[in-house]
Amino acid sequence: SQQGEEDPQALSIQEGENATMNCSYKTSINNLQWYRQNSGRGLVHLILIRSNEREKHSGRLRVTLDTSKKSSSLLITASRAADTASYFCATVRLSGNTPLVFGKGTRLSVIA
Amino acid sequence: GAGVSQSPSNKVTEKGKDVELRCDPISGHTALYWYRQRLGQGLEFLIYFQGNSAPDKSGLPSDRFSAERTGESVSTLTIQRTQQEDSAVYLCASSNGGGYTFGSGTRLTVV
C-alpha cells in the first residue's frame, strides 16, 4: 500500500520561482527520502532526512520533516527548466530493514 | 560497476510468454530491490534481497512472478505467462543502507 502521498499532483511554475512539494505519510519512519525521475525511467536520489532531523539542505534543495504531523516538504529554490521532472517521497519504516515505500509523485514543470 | 545496469531496456512480448529481466547492482551493495511502475503511477514494491537473508517477497502480485539473486550480485526477475496488465517499467535498485541507486529500468510491453 502507498505510504507517502505527495501534494500537489502537478505543479507548473516560471523559471526562477521556488517550487514547494509536500509529502504526508502514515506510519512511524526511520527516514524519509526524496527522489527525482525524468522521462519515466530511473530515479535519482536527492536527499535523505532521518527521523531525528528537522531540516536538511543540499544545494538549491531544502527538505523539512515534521514527525508529529507525519509530513515533509521539498523546496527547490530558483528553479530552472532542467528541474522539470517528477518528484517522489519515499519512507523507510521504523524497523529500518524494510524497502522504501513510494508515493505517487508530483509532476513539476518549470517554464522558461 | 559504476551504476545499476538493467537489461533489456525494452521488451515486447506476446501474452502468455515468459520473460526474464536482469539487474546488475553496484558492486558491494548488499541490498537489491525490484519495483514496478505503471504509466503515470508511483513505484510498486515487488521484492527485496538483503545479503544472504531470505528475500522479502511480500510485494509480488501473483505466483507468476519470481526473482532470484546470485550472492550479492546479479538478480533476475521472471514473469511467467505474461498478461497485458504486466505492462510497465520494471526498476531495479541497490543500496548499502542509505539512498537507493536505480537502474534505468526495463519497459515491458505485453501485446
Side-chain angles (χ1 to χ4, degrees), chain B residues 27-111:
Chain B
S27 178
H29 277 193
T30 57
L32 185 147
Y33 310 83
W34 283 97
Y35 287 83
R36 175 169 75 176
Q37 186 178 31
R38 292 197 169 104
L39 189 63
Q41 301 296 309
L43 275 71
E44 177 187 3
F45 165 71
L46 296 177
I47 188 167
Y48 157 43
F49 297 88
Q50 173 65 59
N52 294 321
S53 303
D56 175 353
K57 303 180 182 180
S58 61
L60 294 179
S62 77
D63 60 8
R64 295 186 297 105
F65 288 72
S66 63
E68 292 184 347
R69 187 181 187 192
T70 309
E72 290 189 353
S73 63
V74 172
S75 175
T76 54
L77 176 69
T78 302
I79 309 173
Q80 296 177 309
R81 304 180 303 282
T82 52
Q83 304 293 313
Q84 287 184 327
E85 71 220 35
D86 300 335
S87 295
V89 175
Y90 289 81
L91 291 159
C92 174
S94 68
S95 85
N96 218 15
Y100 291 12
T101 302
F102 279 85
S104 297
T106 294
R107 184 180 302 279
L108 176 66
T109 304
V110 182
V111 297

Side-chain angles (χ1 to χ4, degrees), chain A residues 2 33 35 37 39-45 48 88 92 97-104, chain B residues 9-10 33 35 37 41-43 45 48 56 89 91 98-100 102-107:
Chain A
Q2 295 287 358
Q33 303 177 29
Y35 287 79
Q37 183 180 40
S39 306
R41 297 305 283 258
L43 282 75
V44 174
H45 177 255
L48 181 155
F88 294 87
V92 175
N97 196 26
T98 57
L100 280 174
V101 180
F102 285 81
K104 294 182 179 179
Chain B
S9 56
N10 289 284
Y33 310 83
Y35 287 83
Q37 186 178 31
Q41 301 296 309
L43 275 71
F45 165 71
Y48 157 43
D56 175 353
V89 175
L91 291 159
Y100 291 12
F102 279 85
S104 297
T106 294
R107 184 180 302 279

Side-chain angles (χ1 to χ4, degrees), chain A residues 7 15-16 30 32 44 54 56-57 62 67 77 86 89 92 98:
Chain A
D7 166 51
E15 203 166 31
N30 177 287
L32 183 145
V44 174
R54 292 296 166 258
K56 214 163 179 182
H57 297 256
R62 174 180 167 245
T67 53
T77 59
S86 291
C89 73
V92 175
T98 57

Side-chain angles (χ1 to χ4, degrees), chain A residues 29-97:
Chain A
I29 62 169
N30 177 287
N31 67 73
L32 183 145
Q33 303 177 29
W34 284 90
Y35 287 79
R36 164 194 164 127
Q37 183 180 40
N38 290 82
S39 306
R41 297 305 283 258
L43 282 75
V44 174
H45 177 255
L46 296 176
I47 200 163
L48 181 155
I49 186 165
R50 301 193 186 283
S51 60
N52 61 351
E53 297 175 310
R54 292 296 166 258
E55 188 170 312
K56 214 163 179 182
H57 297 256
S58 176
R60 293 185 295 113
L61 305 181
R62 174 180 167 245
V63 168
T64 63
L65 179 64
D66 187 335
T67 53
S68 67
K69 294 181 180 177
K70 291 186 167 60
S71 68
S72 173
S73 67
L74 171 67
L75 169 69
I76 303 174
T77 59
S79 63
R80 304 166 182 168
D83 294 330
T84 294
S86 291
Y87 292 82
F88 294 87
C89 73
T91 54
V92 175
R93 291 199 171 106
L94 191 59
S95 63
N97 196 26

